[in-house]
Amino acid sequence: MKFLITAGPTREPIDPVRYLTNRSSGRMGYALAGAARHDGHEVLLISGPTTLDVPPGVDFIPVETAQQMYEAVRDMLRGVDVAILCAAVADYRPVSCADQKIKKNADTLVLELERTPDILGSMRSEFGFTGKLIGFAAETQNIIEYGRDKLQRKQCDMIVANDVSQPGIGFDSRENAVVLIYPDHEEYLERDTKEHIAMQIIEHATILPS
Ligand code: PMT
């Protein structure tokens, strides 16, 4: 099977030296790419900036902004059987990027932000993707309810929900604990290394009902 996996954070520029980003290390997405490749699948990893090595045998497109990730995913969907969107895409970006470094002349600075493109939400409606679609949900409360809402609104086959308020799992940690949310049931994957969680997610992904 052919997998497309997104990973890491995005960086949304404020001026030539500053940007908005988040705490995603990319570990979860890179572990998914490594696990899918290990199982013999063809894998394309599209990632925001991280310090990680690309797993051997995995095709790789580095991106920086949400817009670049949106365009890379849109342009690379041909032949993809399973798309897993694990990236922590910035939801907002500065309306404009200053040409020069912003000087600290005032005591306060107001940044005007606008929404970034919703990659997961575009997969079915705009990109016409017909393969298996797996989204992530990073929640701090009502994990199942919010995850299930995403499953329906974004027309996913499965949502991998994680509680990012728990210390030691989620963003920028070596372990995770997730709930796989299907249209008709949930399955809990107990706390484990991201590599072990990834292996289980890939197993579930390959047997998703059509
Ligand atoms: O990178 P690590 O340090 O290993 O951390 C892993 C993780 C916590 C980042 C990962 O497990 C995770 O939860 N990824 C999703 C993070 C996220 O942005 O969740 P969300 O609930 O805000 O977004 C829901 C889904 O929409 C995700 O599939 C996301 O990739 C996608 N999205 C979000 C915004 C946007 N503009 N476009 C999108 O496609």
Side-chain angles (χ1 to χ4, degrees):
M1 293 172 102
K2 185 169 173 184
F3 279 70
L4 180 151
I5 297 170
T6 69
T10 63
R11 284 180 181 171
E12 310 302 328
I14 297 170
D15 71 13
V17 295
R18 303 182 179 100
Y19 50 78
L20 298 177
T21 190
N22 60 64
R23 293 181 184 280
S24 169
S25 64
R27 278 195 199 101
M28 190 70 248
Y30 279 56
L32 286 164
R37 184 70 197 121
H38 180 265
D39 283 358
H41 301 291
E42 184 181 342
V43 184
L44 171 64
L45 176 63
I46 299 175
S47 176
T50 77
T51 58
L52 304 174
D53 293 329
V54 178
V58 167
D59 294 325
F60 183 63
I61 299 179
V63 296
E64 207 155 299
T65 64
Q67 183 64 33
Q68 289 168 0
M69 187 173 280
Y70 173 89
E71 289 169 15
V73 170
R74 179 195 63 198
D75 295 348
M76 297 307 294
L77 281 175
R78 186 181 293 269
V80 169
D81 300 297
V82 182
I84 309 181
L85 303 196
C86 178
V89 184
D91 291 316
Y92 290 90
R93 65 186 170 202
V95 168
S96 60
C97 171
D99 290 338
Q100 307 296 330
K101 185 180 169 209
I102 297 171
K103 302 300 273 179
K104 45 184 177 299
N105 297 329
D107 287 342
T108 60
L109 173 68
V110 176
L111 284 177
E112 191 182 355
L113 305 179
E114 64 183 7
R115 289 297 300 268
T116 54
D118 179 357
I119 305 167
L120 184 61
S122 304
M123 292 290 283
R124 301 291 193 207
S125 54
E126 284 180 44
F127 304 161
F129 180 63
T130 54
K132 298 297 167 201
L133 181 58
I134 301 175
F136 267 67
E139 308 291 354
T140 57
Q141 57 179 336
N142 305 330
I143 315 288
I144 306 291
E145 185 190 332
Y146 291 164
R148 189 162 290 291
D149 177 59
K150 265 182 192 138
L151 179 87
Q152 281 156 4
R153 277 191 296 113
K154 316 277 165 130
Q155 299 176 67
C156 295
D157 296 287
M158 183 172 90
I159 286 282
V160 181
N162 39 198
D163 182 347
V164 292
S165 69
Q166 296 293 320
I169 62 168
F171 281 87
D172 199 14
S173 55
R174 296 193 177 277
E175 296 186 331
N176 212 354
V178 305
V179 189
L180 306 183
I181 303 180
Y182 286 89
D184 55 356
H185 72 287
E186 288 107 39
E187 200 155 321
Y188 288 77
L189 303 185
E190 299 300 328
R191 182 169 173 160
D192 206 336
T193 61
K194 284 181 177 170
E195 286 72 21
H196 283 132
I197 296 278
M199 285 163 58
Q200 296 173 75
I201 293 172
I202 295 300
E203 269 175 40
H204 280 262
T206 51
I207 55 168
L208 275 169
S210 47

